[in-house]
């Protein structure tokens, strides 16, 4: 499925680069989606996030509201970890497709999805691509929902200025059934 025609030229290395980037972003978004959901469902770690500041994990709100509450050193740790992840993978130059000639998309030196059956392996790898695409849409949706309502879980009653409410008071509009 390629509605914009990115692969119409048949350039295999450009396709491999795009697939590598898609898998990487999909994996990041799967982790981000779980990171957004987990504190809501399971709760937060007990104890202190920053003992010297007296800041507990429970003091950090979920979602986008946490951005302004995490201390600067915490952000420095996250940036350092992201840099480590970026630099420890295959060395490629930005948008240089020739660097992707010897790289298998998604291969970062350890195997998570394996199978001795080629059909089963293909099924697992295709599921990873599909789940990654879904996670990319999911995390964007949660960000927008959180930005509009203050909650990623969509209490639309908090967002009364929604354009989706434009016709609520008009004749013929009924409340949801069920």
């Amino acid at each position: 499925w390629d509605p914009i025609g990115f692969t119409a030229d048949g350039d295999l290395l450009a396709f491999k680069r795009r697939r590598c980037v898609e898998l990487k972003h999909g994996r990041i978004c799967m982790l981000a989606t779980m990171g957004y959901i987990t504190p809501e469902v399971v709760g937060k770690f007990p104890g202190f996030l920053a003992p010297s500041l007296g800041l507990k994990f429970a003091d950090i709100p979920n979602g986008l509201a946490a951005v302004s509450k995490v201390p600067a050193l915490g952000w420095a740790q996250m940036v350092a970890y992201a840099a480590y992840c970026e630099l420890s993978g295959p060395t490629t130059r930005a948008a240089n497709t020739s660097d992707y000639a010897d790289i298998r998309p998604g291969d970062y030196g350890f195997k998570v999805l394996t199978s001795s059956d080629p059909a089963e392996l293909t099924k697992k790898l295709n599921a990873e691509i599909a789940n990654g695409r879904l996670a990319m849409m999911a995390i964007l949706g949660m960000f927008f929902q959180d930005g509009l309502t203050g909650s990623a879980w969509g209490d639309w009653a908090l967002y009364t200025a929604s354009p989706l409410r434009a016709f609520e008071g008009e004749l013929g509009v009924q409340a949801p059934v069920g």
Side-chain angles (χ1 to χ4, degrees):
W1 184 71
D2 186 17
I4 299 177
F6 284 128
T7 59
D9 62 358
D11 185 352
L12 179 63
L13 292 177
F15 176 77
K16 282 181 74 174
R17 178 187 171 277
R18 287 188 183 99
R19 181 54 51 97
C20 286
V21 170
E22 178 183 26
L23 283 167
K24 186 177 193 178
H25 289 145
R27 289 173 179 175
I28 291 167
C29 289
M30 285 188 268
L31 289 171
T33 302
M34 288 305 301
Y36 225 82
I37 294 170
T38 301
E40 292 282 344
V41 175
V42 177
K44 298 176 184 173
F45 289 120
F48 285 89
L49 172 68
S52 61
L53 299 174
L55 187 63
K56 295 181 179 181
F57 285 105
D59 298 336
I60 304 294
N62 293 338
L64 296 177
V67 172
S68 64
K69 304 293 189 257
V70 175
L73 190 56
W75 282 109
Q77 290 171 354
M78 287 185 259
V79 169
Y81 178 70
Y84 168 76
C85 291
E86 284 292 323
L87 298 174
S88 65
T91 304
T92 57
R93 295 166 288 179
N96 187 345
T97 58
S98 64
D99 291 345
Y100 290 85
D102 299 325
I103 295 174
R104 284 188 57 210
D107 188 0
Y108 290 100
F110 60 94
K111 302 286 185 222
V112 177
L113 300 175
T114 61
S115 178
S116 58
D117 180 17
E120 182 67 21
L121 180 60
T122 299
K123 179 181 172 187
K124 288 179 178 182
L125 294 174
N126 286 337
E128 180 185 21
I129 291 169
N131 290 336
R133 290 173 179 170
L134 177 62
M136 286 186 257
M137 295 296 108
I139 195 66
L140 282 175
M142 284 189 264
F143 284 157
F144 274 98
Q145 187 82 3
D146 195 353
L148 290 173
T149 66
S151 168
W153 315 116
D155 186 358
W156 281 99
L158 299 176
Y159 185 56
T160 58
S162 170
L164 299 173
R165 298 180 183 271
F167 304 104
E168 279 184 348
E170 293 192 13
L171 184 63
V173 176
Q174 78 177 46
V177 178

